[in-house]
Every structure is written in C-alpha cells, then in structure tokens.
Amino acid sequence: MGMHTDAHIVWDWNGTLFHDVDAVIGATNAAFAELGLEPLTLERYRELYCVPVPKFYERLMGRLPSPAEWELMDATFHRHYTEHHVRCGLAEGAAELLAGWGSAGRSQSILSLYGHEDLVPLVRDFGIETHFVRVDGRTGPSGGGKAEHMVRHLRALAGVDPARTVVIGDAADDALAALHVGARAVLYTGGSHCRASLEAVGVPVVDTLREAVAEAERLAAS
C-alpha cells in the first residue's frame, strides 16, 4: 500500500457514497410493521434516527425493544433492505470525486457498518474499488456504533495519520467515531440525519459531497 503523507478520507457507505435512503426507509417501516408501529416519513426518520439503532427504536416505542423484538425487527430490516437496495445507486458526483481525490495523490478508504461480506462486492460492482486503499464493513452483530471499528480501520492503514484524516459520513456517529481516534469529520445531509441533528455535533455540515470533499481538504491542511 505504501506510505501516505497527504490528507486521507474515510468514507461512510450507506447514506453517503451509496444513496440508499429510500431502501432504508422502506426496510425500517417493514421492521416497524412487525410490532404494529406506524410508518415513518423521511423527515421523521431523519429527525429521530440515532446509533446504536436500539436507541432509535426506543425513541419511537418509548422503551428499548426486548431481545426477541430486536431480533425480529433487525431480521426484517435486513431482508427488506437486501431486496430493495439493488435499485439504488451512488450519490450524485461520487464517482468523479473519488477519482479526483485519488488522482491528486491522496488516499481514501471506506468504513461502514454494513456487513463486510455484502459491502465488498457492492463496491466492486460499482467499479470504484480501485479508488480505496481499504474497504471495511461490519463484522459481528449489527446495531452498535462505529468508534471501535474506526480504531481497527485506522490501525490497518499504514502511513495514514489520524490528525490528517477526515471522516465523511451522514450520521452523528460518524463524527463521534472520528473524534474517538483524533480525526476530523464532515457530515452530509443527504442520508440519515436532518441538518439540525448533524449541526448539534459541532463539526462542519454540508449538503453535497463536493462540498464535503472541499471541506475535508481544508480541514486536513489546517
């Protein structure tokens, strides 16, 4: 892989590079229907969504789901998401931005809470795998946060300095994971959170991935 002394981006996948919000809402509402909960609009989802996911369900149910409820909802979500995400594509301009960042001699990687065995072939199918020095999806149970995954991800990236690393994601948890390892973060409004929720974290918030990359370049140079 070699040594990378310039700025590095760690990209989130779902809701950031991969514009899958419609599939996520559909799968979430299918999971809610299992417990008789009312369906959510996109706006309501973005207002309430948080990680770890059981806390998101608590906001809607008024209590944490039982282990049996969580297992049922999680299985239903993933079954419906797998069926519908095939109609989703990359976010606007993503492929060009990835190519541009790499052609400038900078490195980038993906860290996602999407299952690793599903993530890798999906990235490959979009023809963008060669832009990344590493692609890591979740291993182990779903529902948790990204911080410890970020620790392992950066440790595996030889020559990447956390202080010159910027995480680009669509969730407050992406910024918290970045702060956990001493990296910076830029949050994007095109995914799972509303702008107000993202701004409460205290990192830059942008409406396009082009703005996110420009902000990442600025942060890494400061």
Side-chain angles (χ1 to χ4, degrees):
M1 181 167 59
M3 298 294 287
H4 301 281
T5 58
D6 209 337
H8 179 85
I9 290 176
V10 177
W11 292 94
D12 175 54
W13 179 248
N14 303 93
T16 304
L17 287 176
F18 188 46
H19 186 65
D20 63 346
V21 66
D22 291 337
V24 168
I25 294 297
T28 298
N29 283 332
F32 288 171
E34 293 285 355
L35 298 188
L37 299 173
E38 291 295 318
L40 290 178
T41 63
L42 173 60
E43 292 72 22
R44 185 65 172 159
Y45 176 90
R46 284 175 165 165
E47 178 185 342
L48 294 175
Y49 181 75
C50 65
V51 173
V53 176
K55 292 292 291 182
F56 169 49
Y57 291 158
E58 182 181 25
R59 291 182 174 186
L60 292 157
M61 300 170 63
R63 60 175 177 80
L64 282 170
S66 69
E69 288 172 333
W70 163 251
E71 184 176 345
L72 174 63
M73 295 172 79
D74 189 50
T76 302
F77 175 92
H78 285 97
R79 184 173 66 252
H80 281 260
Y81 180 83
T82 298
E83 179 182 347
H84 294 292
H85 84 279
V86 294
R87 293 192 288 271
C88 300
L90 295 177
E92 183 179 356
E96 293 80 6
L97 291 167
L98 294 172
W101 186 265
S103 67
R106 303 182 178 113
S107 60
Q108 53 198 330
S109 58
I110 292 176
L111 176 62
S112 174
L113 293 180
Y114 191 41
H116 184 77
E117 298 303 319
D118 296 313
L119 173 66
V120 171
L122 187 55
V123 172
R124 185 179 300 126
D125 287 347
F126 278 114
I128 58 174
E129 184 182 27
T130 57
H131 295 310
F132 306 106
V133 296
R134 189 173 182 88
V135 175
D136 281 334
R138 172 186 48 79
T139 56
S142 62
K146 189 176 276 188
E148 293 307 317
H149 296 279
M150 187 68 73
V151 171
R152 291 191 292 272
H153 183 73
L154 288 186
R155 282 177 180 165
L157 295 175
V160 171
D161 180 2
R164 304 208 58 196
T165 296
V166 180
V167 176
I168 297 179
D170 69 312
D173 186 58
D174 292 303
L176 297 177
L179 296 173
H180 184 69
V181 296
R184 312 285 190 90
V186 179
L187 296 179
Y188 163 62
T189 62
S192 60
H193 280 29
C194 65
R195 174 174 277 274
S197 295
L198 297 178
E199 288 178 340
V201 183
V203 302
V205 177
V206 299
D207 297 318
T208 68
L209 292 187
R210 187 168 301 279
E211 293 174 286
V213 169
E215 188 65 20
E217 187 170 9
R218 185 189 69 79
L219 287 173
S222 63

